[in-house]
């Protein structure tokens, strides 16, 4: 499945909805547009759809999306796209939306980094947490030349760690997931966490501790990385210091820093929209403080918000559904059941064969 295909309309005509962000929430919003017979485009700053799942965690397995007992992140993106592509949304890749303007007739104009301008009747922001950069250890200021070779901030290709001695730093879900996930790939895995207990999912934490008991992984809690030992462009060892002052030298070929990401709303922060907790405040209809402008996924804030993929998909359905009243004012909006719509589409397709 190719997710960098560009459905480009050279006239850049007015769409019913422009979706800013091509992660799972944005893709599912485009599907919901198809279900509700409204035209849409997705504008994504990266060269492919999928957001963080495609860029940072393509091989990470996800367990908490309904209908998927277990699915690789890239596989989930593929499935979402297969569901959506039948409606041929316009896809604009490699462009960052830098500004928006609400026109006198209530429609929206967005300008992207190349200077191109796109028009739509409504606007949906599904940009995740905005721009993101990995958190780094300030004491390791001399490792830039090793990044992408021996030092990593995400697992994009599991073969980078095959038959290697891997030191993983972190105590959240990603660190625990990859400690377990690399056990059968790496020659040895060492997990280092600066706190006395893990912050990740309890089940995975128990798997890590069980692996430690069996000798398959070394675990250092209350311990920090102090420095690395290198030889030209190779990593030789990682030096640790526990909070009781004990020093450890761990021979290593790969250092995987999974200590989170810093998010930056970028241009969105200058859009004069109501913000809370670095996200756009929305009401129960997913509408922001501007009529016709909606938000969904991690970029949307409301009391009790749970930032997981499943919630983002629900937000997308809500946002598209309620945007219909703005896109088609005065029209009666009826419920559309997917089974009936799919049956109708199949009948139509068979007639045209």
């Amino acid at each position: 499945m190719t997710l960098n295909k560009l459905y480009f309309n050279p006239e850049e005509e007015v769409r019913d909805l422009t979706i800013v962000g091509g992660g799972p929430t944005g893709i599912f919003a485009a599907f919901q547009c198809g279900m509700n017979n409204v035209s849409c485009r997705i504008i994504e700053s990266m060269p492919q759809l999928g957001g963080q799942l495609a860029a940072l965690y393509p091989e990470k397995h996800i367990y908490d999306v309904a209908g998927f007992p277990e699915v690789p992140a890239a596989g989930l993106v593929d499935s979402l796209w297969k569901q959506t592509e039948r409606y041929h949304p316009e896809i604009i890749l490699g462009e960052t939306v830098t500004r928006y303007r609400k026109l006198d007739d209530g429609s929206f104009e967005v300008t992207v980094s190349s200077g191109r301008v796109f028009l739509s009747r409504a606007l949906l922001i599904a940009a995740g947490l905005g721009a993101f950069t990995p958190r780094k250890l300030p004491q390791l200021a001399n490792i830039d030349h090793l990044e992408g070779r021996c030092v990593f901030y995400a697992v994009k290709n599991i073969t980078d760690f095959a038959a290697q001695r891997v030191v993983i730093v972190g105590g959240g879900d990603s660190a625990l997931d990859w400690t377990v996930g690399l056990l059968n790939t790496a020659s040895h895995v060492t997990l280092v966490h600066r706190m006395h207990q893990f912050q990740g999912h309890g089940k995975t934490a128990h798997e890590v501790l069980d692996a430690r008991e069996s000798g398959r992984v070394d675990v250092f809690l209350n311990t920090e990385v102090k420095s690395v030992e290198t030889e030209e462009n190779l990593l030789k060892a990682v030096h640790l210091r526990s909070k009781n002052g004990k020093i450890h030298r761990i021979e290593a070929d790969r250092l995987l820093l999974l200590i989170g990401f810093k998010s930056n709303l970028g241009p969105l922060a200058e859009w004069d929209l109501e913000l809370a907790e670095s996200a756009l405040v929305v009401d129960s209809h997913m509408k922001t403080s501007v009529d016709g402008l909606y938000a969904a996924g991690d970029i949307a804030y409301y009391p009790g918000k749970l930032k997981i993929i499943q919630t983002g998909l629900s937000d997308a359905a809500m946002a598209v559904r309620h945007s219909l009243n703005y896109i088609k004012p005065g029209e009666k909006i009826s419920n559309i059941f997917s089974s009936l719509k799919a049956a109708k589409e199949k009948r139509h397709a068979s007639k045209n064969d």
Side-chain angles (χ1 to χ4, degrees), residues 99-143:
R99 63 184 295 268
Y100 90 96
R101 185 165 68 99
K102 189 172 182 180
L103 305 180
D104 291 341
D105 63 0
S107 63
F108 290 83
E109 172 189 279
V110 296
T111 303
V112 298
S113 46
S114 67
R116 295 163 67 189
V117 175
F118 298 92
L119 299 174
S120 59
R121 295 177 179 86
L123 185 59
L124 170 61
I125 309 300
L129 295 172
F132 50 89
T133 55
R135 295 186 184 277
K136 301 184 179 183
L137 294 175
Q139 64 269 34
L140 301 183
N142 61 336
I143 62 171

Side-chain angles (χ1 to χ4, degrees), residues 66-289:
F68 291 94
E70 176 181 353
V71 60
L76 178 61
V77 173
D78 281 347
S79 294
L80 286 166
W81 178 244
K82 288 176 183 176
Q83 184 181 34
T84 302
E85 67 175 338
R86 74 185 72 174
Y87 298 116
H88 301 292
E90 182 183 354
I91 307 296
I92 307 297
L93 299 173
E95 293 278 21
T96 300
V97 174
T98 57
R99 63 184 295 268
Y100 90 96
R101 185 165 68 99
K102 189 172 182 180
L103 305 180
D104 291 341
D105 63 0
S107 63
F108 290 83
E109 172 189 279
V110 296
T111 303
V112 298
S113 46
S114 67
R116 295 163 67 189
V117 175
F118 298 92
L119 299 174
S120 59
R121 295 177 179 86
L123 185 59
L124 170 61
I125 309 300
L129 295 172
F132 50 89
T133 55
R135 295 186 184 277
K136 301 184 179 183
L137 294 175
Q139 64 269 34
L140 301 183
N142 61 336
I143 62 171
D144 289 354
H145 65 293
L146 299 177
E147 292 179 357
R149 181 183 294 109
C150 302
V151 176
F152 298 84
Y153 300 94
V155 178
K156 297 183 181 181
N157 189 339
I158 199 169
T159 59
D160 289 330
F161 304 89
Q164 304 295 311
R165 298 166 297 179
V166 182
V167 173
I168 298 175
V169 180
D173 286 326
S174 290
L176 296 177
D177 287 346
W178 281 116
T179 297
V180 174
L182 291 176
L183 286 178
N184 295 323
T185 300
S187 64
H188 188 75
V189 177
T190 300
L191 177 62
V192 181
H193 185 38
R194 64 184 179 86
M195 302 180 73
H196 71 282
Q197 63 182 18
F198 300 123
Q199 279 68 58
H201 193 277
K203 179 178 181 296
T204 315
H206 284 301
E207 290 183 48
V208 171
L209 295 176
D210 288 343
R212 180 180 65 175
E213 291 298 317
S214 65
R216 300 180 67 203
V217 60
D218 291 326
V219 177
F220 292 87
L221 296 173
N222 282 319
T223 302
E224 293 185 319
V225 173
K226 300 308 296 181
S227 63
V228 296
E229 186 179 323
T230 64
E231 182 177 301
E232 295 182 348
N233 291 325
L234 297 176
L235 178 66
K236 301 298 292 183
V238 178
H239 296 267
L240 311 177
R241 186 171 69 189
S242 65
K243 290 189 177 179
N244 64 12
K246 190 172 182 179
I247 302 297
H248 305 272
R249 179 184 182 273
I250 308 299
E251 293 186 353
D253 307 297
R254 300 286 186 267
L255 178 60
L256 179 56
L257 297 165
L258 299 176
I259 53 179
F261 288 83
K262 296 181 291 185
S263 62
N264 185 344
L265 289 179
L268 290 175
E270 309 300 323
W271 283 14
D272 198 27
L273 299 171
E274 185 180 354
L275 299 174
E277 298 184 11
S278 297
L280 303 179
V281 175
V282 297
D283 63 13
S284 60
H285 289 180
M286 308 310 296
K287 183 178 74 67
T288 69
S289 52

